[in-house]
Amino acid sequence: PSGYNLWLPYSKISESPVLKEYTDITKTISLPGASQTLQIARTELNRALKKMLGAPPSVATSLRADPTLLIGTKDLLPPELQKMVNDDLSRAGDEGFVIKSVKHRKKKILLISANGDIGILYGVFRFLNLMQQHQSFVKISLVDYPKIDLRMLNHWDNLDRTIERGYAGFSLWNWQKLPEFIDQRYIDYARANASIGINAVSLTNVNANALILTPMYLEKVKALADVFRPYGIKVYLTARFSAPIEIGTLKTADPLDPNVKQWWADKADQIYSLIPDFGGFLVKANSEGQPGPQNYGRNHVDGANMLAESLRPHGGNVIWRAFVYSEHDADDRAKQAYTEFVPYDGKFMDNVLVQTKNGPIDFQPREPFHPMFGAMPKTPLMMEFQITQEYLGFSTHLVFLPKLYEEVLDADTYQQGEGSTVARIIDGTLQNQKISGMAGVSNVGNDMNWTGHPMAQANWYGFGRLAWDPYLSSETIAEEWLRMTFSNQEAFIGPMKEMLIKSREAVVNYMNPLGLHHIFDTGHHYGPGPWVSELSRPEWNPTYYHNADAKGIGFDRTPSGSNATEQYAEPLRSRLNDPDTCPERYLLWFHHLSWDYRLKNGKTLWQGMALKYQEGVDQVEEMIATWKQMQPYVDQVRHKEVQMLLQIQLKEAKWWRDACLLYFQTFSKKDLPEGVGKPTRTLEHFKSLKFPFAPGIRPQWN
Ligand code: BDP
């Protein structure tokens, strides 16, 4: 079905110079070695070359005398070739590879080599990636290796196969039929991940169910781990902190209780007896009602280290989430994770990573980077991005997220002077971490095209590429993905690249311009709800975040307000504190300003905000116009799907604009500036809208 093949369609190549080069290169192929991983590489090559070049290639499992394409780990190469890649491979590490055009016995050959089998698989996938982009290999000399150790997908999949914040169907994991029945989808999923270098997956929701740790489920988890292993992927599970009570016989889950420690140590032994390379536990504790060490008067360090102790003999990791904010803490929610975690720097065991969302609130269309990045130099901080579009229009709106990820990764924290970018903290180079990681909350479900919106596949792809190399530009990623997935025609690539890149700003404009945030309607977080003010916890209410009143709008996080800016290093802190130097994209995140405040373009804040909402709507209109032109390059089914989705997106961009402006107008008491579309419905109408069909809501919020 349309889109099932993701970025691996291996479309037939008809351009003759490219075809000629590729046919020559692949005339005789050697890929020696018997491991499962190498067999997968061979199968992939066969399948891809057959589709792209027409004729089935011959991939030999032995070292041929004169191959045109030689693919092998270093130890399998003839000595003179070993010498040629020696230096490259000393940089490439366990998972990297080299793709190099070299002279061998007076003939030019293409060599793909690596230190280990997984490097070969990654190298083959990259070779095919470049072929799909019609790149030439004549002069290639490419060494590449992952800059981040753990490149991980977090699935928020419940055991009943619903997915929290999932908008692409139900969970891929069919617990009922496992372990005997191995759905082809597990294999296709692993293959897609390996093609972009993802090497870890956490299977279950962070709002965890302890049952996953019982033997009957672990048997099933083992079956998945066995499928994923040859693709270089390790399995993690979410550990519910109260599991010793819920599935054990203990009365407590106190991390300092010897029986509790023993329970987890036994549990780890049991898991590793089934899954010898089990990755470890991902834990959400004492956050949004999840149990944790604080239930027993202990702290995050006690909890994380106790679990880390149980995994350490087996080489496993604990990934402890820092997404915490307390209903008892009256302080600005944006400050709470930092306040709670930074004092623990240096106290976690070395198989603990602290996983932090990209921004200090919660996956908003735009947030400043989380101030914890760089502030815990003795702790490996792992990035958590959201690939699924909880606050970004679900799988209905087209939003190219690598642009968002790039903005965060490139941000300068100044924690160790200029150039202390988030990317350098995440990859561990700035602060010399022994382990590094980046996680993305997956947008994959059992929809035929995996991600619901056909274009949302780009976000899975882009996340993987950035986890591999956080210094890649979003433009490079957009171009790669477009060429692989659809077409290499320049008339397609140019406009579509621009459309993807701009799509992120469009959604910010029509949802949350100028630093506004969390003004979504309750529970589902889909449409606008800036008026919502009566939820039980203050920081769940949009009014808490925008603070609109007759005088103005915005959250004062400067020293005259919550002083959250204090958590950022100088000179950034001072810049953020002054509305004149605070980037306008974060203005209302950090400042409460009068409706008449003058923006850089001379407009008042009210005018500027209204015009931004309108700009967002205009940008969606442009996307529709661009997409219309792309018909010749895209199959009918997907073209139609995206076209319909863009029409919904336009309707909803207008919904956002009208609902927010009508509501904020009740405070500003000002007319809409010229150029801003007039709302056709009343504020009361927008307030009355319900959204009962929203997928992915937490059951307790229904
Ligand atoms: C929020 C989601 C909620 C998650 C929570 C988390 O609304 O469903 O459980 O984050 O990350 O974004 O733990």
Side-chain angles (χ1 to χ4, degrees):
S2 176
Y4 185 83
N5 287 330
L6 297 160
W7 45 88
L8 303 167
Y10 300 132
S11 308
K12 179 132 186 32
I13 296 173
S14 43
E15 289 78 351
S16 52
V18 184
L19 185 61
K20 165 106 185 36
E21 185 193 327
Y22 291 177
T23 313
D24 290 348
I25 290 177
T26 56
K27 199 165 284 160
T28 47
I29 307 174
S30 273
L31 200 170
S35 75
Q36 270 191 49
T37 303
L38 294 174
Q39 274 169 34
I40 289 166
R42 265 193 298 270
T43 308
E44 191 70 25
L45 260 182
N46 271 313
R47 154 185 193 167
L49 296 179
K50 185 171 169 204
K51 287 179 84 179
M52 284 193 278
L53 308 179
S58 75
V59 184
T61 55
S62 60
L63 212 55
R64 291 190 180 183
D66 277 310
T68 53
L69 173 59
L70 175 53
I71 306 172
T73 49
K74 192 175 131 191
D75 53 311
L76 295 179
L77 299 181
E80 58 294 3
L81 284 177
Q82 276 189 13
K83 245 186 244 149
M84 284 187 221
V85 290
N86 217 4
D87 291 351
D88 294 338
L89 286 182
S90 64
R91 283 198 289 141
D94 294 343
E95 298 174 294
F97 56 81
V98 31
I99 305 180
K100 208 169 183 165
S101 166
V102 296
K103 267 239 166 85
H104 179 53
R105 300 193 186 144
K106 305 214 179 96
K107 273 202 206 136
K108 263 189 95 159
I109 68 164
L110 189 68
L111 179 64
I112 302 179
S113 191
N115 294 308
D117 291 354
I118 191 64
I120 293 292
L121 183 60
Y122 288 155
V124 164
F125 270 120
R126 184 64 63 81
F127 170 65
L128 298 173
N129 173 324
L130 296 172
M131 278 182 79
Q132 288 202 89
Q133 298 188 59
H134 295 188
Q135 293 208 16
S136 169
F137 296 94
V138 178
K139 294 197 194 109
I140 194 165
S141 176
L142 169 72
V143 187
D144 204 9
Y145 52 91
K147 312 286 181 293
I148 292 179
D149 300 323
L150 296 181
R151 307 176 297 279
M152 184 171 194
L153 289 184
N154 288 180
H155 291 269
W156 284 358
D157 295 14
N158 298 313
L159 301 186
D160 65 2
R161 297 189 76 181
T162 57
I163 306 180
E164 181 152 338
R165 311 306 176 186
Y167 315 109
F170 289 95
S171 171
L172 297 179
W173 327 132
N174 188 333
W175 299 113
Q176 186 243 322
K177 285 191 181 146
L178 280 164
E180 289 89 351
F181 184 79
I182 300 299
D183 191 329
Q184 177 63 30
R185 271 217 124 153
Y186 306 151
I187 298 163
D188 294 342
Y189 163 84
R191 168 179 170 249
N193 278 338
S195 79
I196 47 179
I198 285 172
N199 68 351
V201 300
S202 162
L203 299 175
T204 44
N205 193 353
V206 288
N207 296 314
N209 186 333
L211 282 179
I212 193 67
L213 301 177
T214 57
M216 65 177 175
Y217 275 96
L218 289 173
E219 289 289 340
K220 299 166 188 284
V221 173
K222 171 191 157 46
L224 289 174
D226 290 343
V227 173
F228 298 163
R229 186 170 301 111
Y231 292 89
I233 298 167
K234 284 189 180 175
V235 164
Y236 284 68
L237 293 174
T238 48
R240 185 157 163 96
F241 207 77
S242 48
I245 306 171
E246 289 162 7
I247 58 168
T249 53
L250 302 188
K251 296 267 166 316
T252 176
D254 180 348
L256 300 192
D257 183 302
N259 294 321
V260 172
K261 290 185 187 182
Q262 192 57 48
W263 189 90
W264 283 106
D266 293 345
K267 186 50 71 184
D269 291 347
Q270 185 183 54
I271 296 174
Y272 279 90
S273 70
L274 292 165
I275 309 166
D277 58 351
F278 180 65
F281 295 135
L282 168 64
V283 189
K284 172 175 178 176
N286 294 123
S287 164
E288 297 183 333
Q290 291 300 301
Q294 292 172 357
N295 299 36
Y296 307 94
R298 316 295 182 194
N299 64 32
H300 290 293
V301 177
D302 299 328
N305 285 354
M306 182 273 294
L307 292 177
E309 196 91 57
S310 73
L311 297 172
R312 177 138 77 177
H314 310 282
N317 299 312
V318 169
I319 300 173
W320 193 268
R321 295 177 84 232
F323 179 69
V324 298
Y325 59 101
S326 159
E327 55 192 309
H328 310 295
D329 190 343
D331 206 357
D332 179 1
R333 170 171 165 187
K335 292 169 67 178
Q336 293 182 24
Y338 179 106
T339 308
E340 199 162 334
F341 273 86
V342 170
Y344 299 140
D345 188 28
K347 303 214 163 97
F348 291 102
M349 279 173 50
D350 60 9
N351 57 334
V352 177
L353 297 102
V354 172
Q355 182 166 299
T356 308
K357 289 187 182 181
N358 59 274
I361 298 285
D362 192 8
F363 297 141
Q364 300 301 295
R366 170 168 281 134
E367 297 190 41
F369 67 85
H370 202 301
M372 274 171 68
F373 291 117
M376 297 183 69
K378 292 190 240 120
T379 309
L381 286 197
M382 189 160 161
M383 172 66 76
E384 180 175 315
F385 283 127
Q386 200 176 41
I387 311 173
T388 193
Q389 292 172 234
E390 175 181 356
Y391 297 91
L392 285 153
F394 294 4
S395 61
T396 310
H397 293 204
L398 189 162
V399 185
F400 181 66
L401 291 176
K403 186 75 183 151
L404 183 164
Y405 307 151
E406 174 187 51
E407 180 175 289
V408 178
L409 293 166
D410 287 353
D412 197 339
T413 68
Y414 292 93
Q415 286 285 355
Q416 291 182 205
E418 199 174 339
S420 305
T421 59
V422 173
R424 294 180 64 205
I425 290 151
I426 287 310
D427 75 3
T429 53
L430 186 75
Q431 298 169 330
N432 276 315
Q433 305 297 351
K434 286 202 221 71
I435 185 164
S436 58
M438 181 156 135
V441 180
S442 169
N443 63 346
V444 165
N446 69 355
D447 273 8
M448 280 202 283
N449 69 6
W450 303 87
T451 56
H453 199 302
M455 308 302 266
Q457 296 179 353
N459 297 333
W460 180 8
Y461 178 85
F463 168 78
R465 295 289 286 131
L466 283 168
W468 176 279
D469 182 353
Y471 303 95
L472 282 176
S473 82
S474 59
E475 302 212 0
T476 303
I477 294 168
E479 182 162 342
E480 287 178 6
W481 181 78
L482 287 165
R483 286 182 184 278
M484 294 169 75
T485 307
F486 291 106
S487 164
N488 277 290
Q489 305 256 349
E490 296 308 324
F492 174 76
I493 297 299
M496 281 305 295
K497 198 164 125 182
E498 192 180 326
M499 171 167 149
L500 291 188
I501 295 296
K502 283 189 175 166
S503 64
R504 189 304 184 93
E505 204 59 34
V507 78
V508 170
N509 287 336
Y510 66 70
M511 285 186 181
N512 288 199
L514 295 170
L516 284 174
H517 51 288
H518 219 303
I519 55 175
F520 293 78
D521 204 0
T522 310
H524 51 70
H525 300 155
Y526 190 67
W531 45 79
V532 174
S533 66
E534 65 300 296
L535 301 182
S536 60
R537 286 174 62 167
E539 77 288 355
W540 284 352
N541 288 307
T543 48
Y544 170 95
Y545 296 97
H546 65 66
N547 293 292
D549 58 23
K551 286 197 238 93
I553 182 169
F555 198 127
D556 183 0
R557 294 194 162 105
T558 71
S560 60
S562 80
N563 203 18
T565 51
E566 183 190 43
Q567 298 178 339
Y568 291 95
E570 288 290 11
L572 179 61
R573 181 192 307 163
S574 301
R575 259 180 231 162
L576 297 175
N577 277 334
D578 180 349
D580 287 342
T581 51
C582 176
E584 278 186 349
R585 59 182 183 278
Y586 304 130
L587 207 53
L588 303 177
W589 186 284
F590 289 110
H591 297 274
H592 186 83
L593 296 169
S594 107
W595 295 109
D596 293 322
Y597 175 83
R598 287 279 157 199
L599 297 172
K600 303 254 172 351
N601 63 6
K603 307 276 182 206
T604 66
L605 179 59
W606 166 251
Q607 291 169 332
M609 176 189 293
L611 289 164
K612 279 281 177 205
Y613 272 106
Q614 181 60 42
E615 192 181 332
V617 172
D618 295 343
Q619 285 166 318
V620 180
E621 305 254 28
E622 279 166 37
M623 301 206 294
I624 290 173
T626 303
W627 187 248
K628 213 168 155 203
Q629 309 287 316
M630 297 303 128
Q631 204 155 5
Y633 312 103
V634 181
D635 59 278
Q636 265 185 27
V637 174
R638 270 184 295 183
H639 193 270
K640 186 84 215 282
E641 282 175 356
V642 173
Q643 193 179 25
M644 292 185 290
L645 289 164
L646 283 170
Q647 288 301 339
I648 306 176
Q649 190 170 356
L650 177 63
K651 188 179 82 187
E652 297 184 342
K654 289 179 180 165
W655 170 27
W656 271 94
R657 176 196 64 190
D658 295 347
C660 291
L661 290 178
L662 282 173
Y663 169 72
F664 291 135
Q665 200 172 34
T666 63
F667 301 101
S668 79
K669 307 262 190 269
K670 292 173 195 296
D671 290 340
L672 290 175
E674 206 172 309
V676 178
K678 298 273 168 295
T680 51
R681 310 300 295 257
T682 62
L683 180 56
E684 291 322 306
H685 164 77
F686 292 119
K687 284 188 178 176
S688 75
L689 294 178
K690 294 276 172 288
F691 206 64
F693 18 68
I697 311 187
R698 303 174 64 178
Q700 62 268 46
W701 291 359
N702 270 331

